[in-house]
Amino acid sequence: MNKKLIYTMMLGLGSLALTSCGDASEELTSVLLGRDFAPVGLEAKSATENSITLEWTKSHDDVTYTIEIFQDDSLTFEGSPSYTLTDIEYAKVKVTGLIYDTKYSARVMTIDNSDASRNSKWSNVFFRTSAQQIFNSISESDVADRSVTLTWPAGEAATAVRVYSDEVLVKEQTVSADEVAAGKVVVDGLTPETAYTVRLYNGEKQRGSKSFTTIADLNGATLVHEGDDLGELIANAEDGQVFALYGGTHIIADAEEEGKASAAKVYKSIIIKGIYPTNVPVVKGRFEIYDGASLEINQVIIDGVDNSTTDQAFNFKTAGVTYPLLSVQNSEVRNFGKGVYYLNVAATVNKLEFNKCLIHDIICDGGDMFDCRKGRIDELNFLDCTIYNSCAARDFIRMDDASSLGGTPTITVDQCTIDGCANTSGKRLLYVRYVGNVIVWKNNLVTNTAAVWSNQSKTGVPEFSNNAYFNCAKLNVLDGAEGGKTNLFVDETGKAVDDPNFKDAKNGDFTIGNEDVSKLKVGASRWY
């Protein structure tokens, strides 16, 4: 006779009841469950402004599913569902017709087509639809120093814009009926040269988001257009004058040879800055600094490619004076023949700083990369910079002994990516001989150099911290004493790492592809 084994699982009782007739080895012909399983592994995926995909694992074939979705709900499932879907045959469903930037709760039940009493319990999931993006693109002319103009399709409802800086709400501005009709609002009261995100809301639902950076402070600035004589403007500047440069190419003209670039002569303390971060001006030429003037440069490309000489980008010319500041921020210095700066007069620079800069293709024919001979730099800083393809046969940082001027020079190299510099055997990263120098070298990524640290006994042993090195064999070798091409100290805390796998080092993209190196947070911050 046919024998049947009935296998019953009572969910929630934690026990199994087995009933058999005849030999236990006979064929198993059916399985009866007291109740179907609730959908397993329920997930909400691929949220858009008006849709969500719900997916789970199907239990067996003879079932369908019911879905209920509750709007503005966080797994409470109170009241009536906003959407109900029945007779769903598959375990993956795209639900459309939802409202943007809205939180929802969804629940799914297994429906047993043979016996409704065996329908499962609910499985639950929470999700939020995406915010809308109805803002139009922001053009260069929409961004000012203290305001921004934002547009969207005319007539689309909105009630407010909220302004954030570093994800902190700094301003909320009501959108008027006229602004809705025009699809345009001007947000003012902003701070120059500051990154913001502005979000458009209708009630509490987000309809758009755009990020931008306000331009340079134009209050009292002299506006310089492409074609203006920048060299003459600088030579005739008043103390404290600010030059704001529009995008394009600005040539510091050579007085003797038309079309060639030469040196701007800086006699007064001035500031030169680019107006638009999306259209950085290119200055072709170099700077000679006289009479204790300060020079501050921000958001400018300084290009020596058309120079009529192979001089440095910055050259201090007057002896016996104190230069308060040379500051280069958020800029690029490239294509110079001799070096980046040169202090070859008995003068003092209180502070010389490069911050968030790209510095590359500096040949160093007749000079070292960062070169101080007869003067003193009290505070020399390289912060979050990328320096590459330069000074192949010269020293990297040079500071000769001018200790008769007194003082204690401090050199800080922090968070820099340095690739292929001083890449000749016997060349030094730190050719520092000024008696009493203090050197801080931390958070740097140094790659592809044959240089040593120093063979000079006057070079202070740096304060090393959290540095990484790849293909820098000579830096790790401690040998000899002063007099030979040797290395007098090493970074004992430094990490020798595998190839960082730069994305495109040849073309100046040092994005780190090696996750183990990226996690160290070394080198310029833009690359990890």
Side-chain angles (χ1 to χ4, degrees), residues 69-143:
I69 298 178
F70 292 72
Q71 182 179 320
D72 298 318
D73 184 84
S74 299
L75 299 177
T76 61
F77 301 102
E78 295 178 352
S80 300
S82 303
Y83 304 87
T84 301
L85 296 86
T86 59
D87 299 323
I88 304 298
E89 296 182 359
Y90 302 101
K92 182 176 182 180
V93 178
K94 183 175 182 179
V95 182
T96 61
L98 305 179
I99 299 172
Y100 67 90
D101 196 21
T102 300
K103 59 184 180 180
Y104 288 95
S105 297
R107 61 185 184 183
V108 182
M109 177 186 287
T110 304
I111 305 299
D112 191 297
N113 295 332
S114 300
D115 185 352
S117 68
R118 292 167 42 135
N119 293 350
S120 77
K121 294 182 179 180
W122 295 101
S123 288
N124 307 326
V125 70
F126 172 82
F127 64 91
R128 191 182 191 106
T129 49
S130 301
Q132 284 189 317
Q133 179 56 283
I134 66 171
F135 272 145
N136 297 322
S137 298
I138 298 176
S139 67
E140 186 176 278
S141 59
D142 291 329
V143 183

Side-chain angles (χ1 to χ4, degrees), residues 64 68 446 505:
T64 58
E68 292 184 347
V446 184

